[in-house]
Amino acid sequence: MTAPVLQPQPEVDVAGGTPAWLVCDGCRRMIYGRRFVRGGHVCPECGWHARLTAAQRVDLLLDEGSAEIVATPVTAADPLGFVDTRPYADRLRAARASTGMPEAVLVARGTIEGCPVVTAVMDFRFLGGSLGAAVGEAITGACEIALRERTPLLLVTASGGARMQEGALSLMQMAKTAQAIGQLDEAGILTVSLITDPTFGGVAASFATLTDVIVAEPGARLGFAGARVIEQTIRETLPPGFQTAEFLLEHGVVDLISPRPALRPTLARLLGVATRRPTSAPASTVHDAAPGREVVREPEHLVQRHPWEAVRLARRLGRPSALDYIGALVEDWTELHGDRAAADCPAMVAGLGRLDGTPVVVIGTQKGHTAAELSARAYGMPSPGGYRKAARVMRLAAKLGLPVITLIDTAGAHPGIEAEENGQAVAIAQNLRLMAGLPVPVVAVVTGEGGSGGALALAVADRVLMCANAIYSVISPEGCAAILWKDPAAGPDAAAALRVDARALLTAGIVDGVIPEPDGGADVDPLGAADALRAALTSTLAELVPLDPPTLVSGRRARFRRFGTPTTPTPATPITAPPATAPSVPAARPPMGGHRSTADLDEARRSS
């Protein structure tokens, strides 16, 4: 597939190098040239993004007057003396003459809305942006500057793949650039890719997809093999939109798609948070903690209720979701998508932002408030891809030294054939191990349901809190009742036996504190609930942030090591009688708590 181009009309006057009128080859409409340029070379009618030169890209992204071009060495011009229909040396001379560039990459220092950055920008006009020795040297050089100056690196890619005329030497550039990115990972320096159309072959399979965050322009194509090669090889017709940014976002490869006019603020927000650039206002003045909203640490200070009532309250569809809390509490939020392997789980959200001016990573399970939202978000039950996305963002937090906050409201991990095929148990287990050793502060909050291992995979934390009307359990009460009582209707009895409520869990030491909720519940006053959560998070982080990584990790491991030892406290509070009439579970909920298959239940019945 050949990318469309904007064709100038030859009969019109040209002013300032821009034709007065253009025809978009995407929608075939006439476009006023100056409007097209003001919009960043984007068609105002259909939104198609035209290719930019490297110089145009630098002007678009970097602050005016901040760009400092870095000279890069030009390696051996023709290492193989390669000749096809034309000598390679001739092709190089023609490319340099037509583009005014020594090679296919332009390296520059500069700032984006005041945030320092080192950038390497590829230019597709120069032999298709192919990856040869000089390109590999320029990319590696940019990495080394970023490493030396401890400055974030931005790579803007546009390439057809490796440069065949340089043989195996061009292949080696993939390893060379990949290890340069690895050194930035080891040093804790942020790396970002901006994928433009097209990005294929050796570039896609090396530095372009190894960065911490992958941003793509709308419609940009990214892949190892091009569509034509794939179709000729496997003799199959590819699906519409294959390898486009939109396709790759859905399949977990790119983090976000940003239209060209929004690129600068998007990148600036990301750079500012990831580098812990201070906000304009001191953190202490951004918000005032609500009085009387401190974390409750003594069980006797909590209302005593039957655990089944807590189950009912935790499941109310009006309770704030993770994204509701993020919207109310987190500034400069940038959501990241995908597990970089196969999927972007809608039940798991993750990203970077600021809590009262402090840069943080926030990860949460996302349900919704309507039947349609619940269905679209898989009822808040993450797939293996969701847990792998969470793990990827936690590793980024560890690399950048940012605290991690998790918001948990899930009946459990998503069940089913596809989840098992993709290693649901493995994904959960790996998260447990990863979180135990994260060298940054970790605070987990159960905001609604905390169901089974699917919740625990986000709750191996330095401090585990829960909202007053939340629940936390090894299994849903209905699932437990179906297995042990042989009757799902015995859910209230199971809830009482499991002691799933906040008072019992605080008594048992499973949670470290309980966050009060407004009278009537968080769904009655979501802003009040958000204020209470803010106060709890800021006070808890204030305790943890000063601690060094070894202290954090050893304390976290000791916290979980003690569970099940003779010193673990056990709840002694008597359970009151259940409600006279057990309320029904909301119709939008999956049956049986949503995390046990029929086969699991049958096996449990046989074993019991």
Side-chain angles (χ1 to χ4, degrees):
M1 181 175 65
T2 301
V5 294
L6 286 164
Q7 301 290 348
Q9 298 302 290
E11 69 276 8
V12 298
D13 294 331
V14 176
T18 303
W21 290 93
L22 306 165
V23 175
C24 174
D25 219 22
C27 63
R28 305 305 302 171
R29 295 181 182 178
M30 294 286 292
I31 309 167
Y32 182 50
R34 296 187 187 278
R35 183 184 180 194
F36 166 68
V37 172
R38 286 197 302 270
H41 294 77
V42 176
C43 175
E45 302 297 334
C46 70
W48 184 79
H49 285 50
R51 288 178 188 154
L52 296 179
T53 68
Q56 288 172 329
R57 184 72 65 176
V58 168
D59 288 342
L60 175 76
L61 294 177
L62 300 187
D63 295 338
E64 186 176 357
S66 73
E68 176 191 341
I69 304 302
V70 177
T72 55
V74 177
T75 58
D78 188 8
L80 302 181
F82 193 94
V83 179
D84 46 72
T85 59
R86 186 180 179 188
Y88 176 42
D90 289 351
R91 292 185 184 276
L92 282 173
R93 280 192 291 270
R96 287 166 182 158
S98 63
T99 63
M101 297 176 61
E103 256 295 343
V105 176
L106 184 63
V107 178
R109 294 184 184 89
T111 59
I112 300 178
E113 295 191 5
C115 298
V117 68
V118 174
T119 185
V121 183
M122 304 188 75
D123 196 317
F124 193 79
R125 299 174 303 157
F126 197 108
L127 298 181
S130 51
L131 176 60
V135 171
E137 184 65 22
I139 297 294
T140 302
C143 292
E144 290 170 346
I145 293 171
L147 180 63
R148 186 167 58 250
E149 299 178 0
R150 301 200 63 80
T151 303
L153 175 71
L154 171 63
L155 302 172
V156 184
T157 63
S159 176
R163 191 169 296 180
M164 294 175 287
Q165 295 93 334
E166 295 185 14
L169 183 63
S170 65
L171 189 66
M172 296 303 104
Q173 306 309 308
M174 295 171 63
K176 176 179 176 177
T177 55
Q179 73 179 20
I181 294 290
Q183 290 177 292
L184 293 174
D185 290 337
E186 294 167 3
I189 296 170
L190 178 71
T191 56
V192 181
S193 288
L194 173 57
I195 306 299
T196 74
D197 188 69
T199 298
F200 282 113
V203 170
S206 59
F207 58 88
T209 52
L210 287 176
T211 55
D212 299 315
V213 180
I214 301 178
V215 184
E217 288 191 333
R221 292 168 296 157
L222 169 71
F224 184 58
R228 184 167 52 189
V229 172
I230 295 173
E231 288 182 330
Q232 290 174 350
T233 302
I234 66 175
R235 306 297 181 188
E236 292 182 10
T237 301
L238 300 177
F242 183 70
Q243 294 181 315
T244 62
E246 293 74 14
F247 177 91
L248 296 169
L249 181 67
E250 181 182 349
H251 288 81
V253 177
V254 304
D255 283 291
L256 60 111
I257 299 173
S258 177
R260 195 169 288 166
L263 275 173
R264 276 174 48 80
T266 298
L267 293 171
R269 187 168 59 247
L270 182 63
L271 292 170
V273 171
T275 57
R276 288 173 279 185
R277 185 178 176 85
T279 54
S280 56
S284 60
T285 65
V286 176
H287 293 285
D288 293 324
R293 297 295 193 183
E294 66 276 4
V295 175
V296 176
R297 304 190 187 277
E298 301 297 331
E300 58 269 22
H301 294 162
L302 295 173
V303 174
Q304 185 173 345
R305 60 164 64 95
H306 191 276
W308 184 250
E309 184 181 352
V311 172
R312 294 165 51 205
L313 293 169
R315 292 176 177 173
R316 284 183 180 175
L317 292 182
R319 289 183 68 85
S321 68
L323 287 177
D324 291 332
Y325 280 125
I326 289 169
L329 303 181
V330 181
E331 308 95 29
D332 296 333
W333 170 249
T334 300
E335 185 176 353
L336 305 180
H337 293 268
D339 63 355
R340 293 282 176 91
D344 179 47
C345 173
M348 187 76 77
V349 295
L352 291 78
R354 299 180 191 269
L355 176 69
D356 279 7
T358 300
V360 293
V361 161
V362 185
I363 301 168
T365 54
Q366 175 67 17
K367 283 184 177 178
H369 302 295
T370 66
E373 290 175 348
L374 287 166
S375 178
R377 296 284 182 174
Y379 294 89
M381 296 185 293
S383 67
Y387 291 110
R388 292 182 180 120
K389 171 168 64 174
R392 179 175 76 84
V393 179
M394 282 189 247
R395 291 189 188 96
L396 176 59
K399 171 182 171 176
L400 301 176
L402 303 181
V404 174
I405 297 169
T406 64
L407 304 176
I408 302 160
D409 183 10
T410 179
H414 198 282
I417 295 174
E418 186 176 358
E420 295 301 321
E421 287 177 341
N422 287 285
Q424 185 70 285
V426 175
I428 292 172
Q430 290 177 340
N431 270 29
L432 301 179
R433 179 178 62 187
L434 171 66
M435 294 191 76
L438 284 177
V440 294
V442 184
V443 181
V445 183
V446 182
T447 62
E449 288 186 278
S452 190
L456 182 62
L458 295 182
V460 181
D462 301 297
R463 300 288 185 273
V464 180
L465 310 176
M466 67 186 298
C467 294
N469 295 330
I471 60 172
Y472 195 11
S473 177
V474 66
I475 187 175
S476 71
E478 298 92 337
C480 177
I483 295 171
L484 300 180
W485 276 260
K486 317 300 183 187
D487 181 8
D493 294 329
L498 290 168
R499 300 178 186 265
V500 300
D501 59 295
R503 183 182 174 110
L505 291 163
L506 183 60
T507 301
I510 301 298
V511 300
D512 302 298
V514 176
I515 304 172
E517 295 190 25
D519 293 341
D523 50 318
V524 174
D525 183 6
L527 291 180
D531 285 341
L533 179 59
R534 182 199 308 280
L537 290 173
T538 53
S539 63
T540 303
L541 286 176
E543 299 172 6
L544 297 173
V545 167
L547 303 180
D548 59 74
T551 302
L552 287 167
V553 172
S554 62
R556 191 182 311 137
R557 288 174 174 168
R559 182 188 188 280
F560 287 88
R561 173 65 180 86
R562 75 171 187 264
F563 291 123
T565 65
T567 58
T568 301
T570 56
T573 305
I575 302 299
T576 59
T581 303
S584 60
V585 179
R589 270 184 60 80
M592 307 298 292
H595 64 290
R596 283 275 184 155
S597 68
T598 302
D600 292 333
L601 298 177
D602 289 342
E603 178 61 28
R605 291 189 186 102
R606 285 194 295 270
S607 63
S608 62

